[in-house]
Amino acid sequence: MIEIKICATSANLGPGFDTLGVALSLYNYFKVEISDELIIENCEEKYCNENNLFYIGYQTVCEILNVHDKCHVIFDTNIP
């Protein structure tokens, strides 16, 4: 299993804040491993499917690498 750490920026606050580009001390963590089926944990039920933005990004990278794997991902989101 790998862990991905993403920091929050002032751009996450809303329109106009993206020009500041200030990093904040808030992080989202994603623990990912290859799986036979798509499993998304700690996410709202309506986003636990193939339309999840994290999964779309994962699939995009898999296509570039010519890999066709599903994943098991655990969200630990701290960015509001």
Side-chain angles (χ1 to χ4, degrees):
M1 181 175 284
I2 63 168
E3 184 173 316
I4 302 168
K5 179 180 176 181
I6 307 292
C7 68
T9 69
S10 59
N12 297 113
L13 298 175
F17 289 97
D18 56 343
T19 58
L20 297 174
V22 177
L24 304 175
S25 59
L26 293 171
Y27 298 90
N28 280 348
Y29 299 89
F30 304 92
K31 294 180 182 176
V32 185
E33 66 183 350
I34 295 172
S35 177
D36 293 332
E37 61 182 316
L38 173 61
I39 303 169
I40 301 175
E41 295 184 39
N42 297 338
C43 183
E44 287 184 46
E45 187 64 34
K46 64 183 176 181
Y47 301 116
C48 292
N49 57 51
E50 293 185 356
N51 294 321
N52 182 288
L53 290 178
F54 179 90
Y55 185 68
I56 291 170
Y58 174 85
Q59 285 297 304
T60 301
V61 172
C62 284
E63 287 176 17
I64 292 168
L65 299 174
N66 198 27
V67 175
H68 305 286
D69 293 323
K70 302 280 186 188
C71 68
H72 173 195
V73 59
I74 303 170
F75 286 50
D76 180 9
T77 55
N78 301 299
I79 302 172

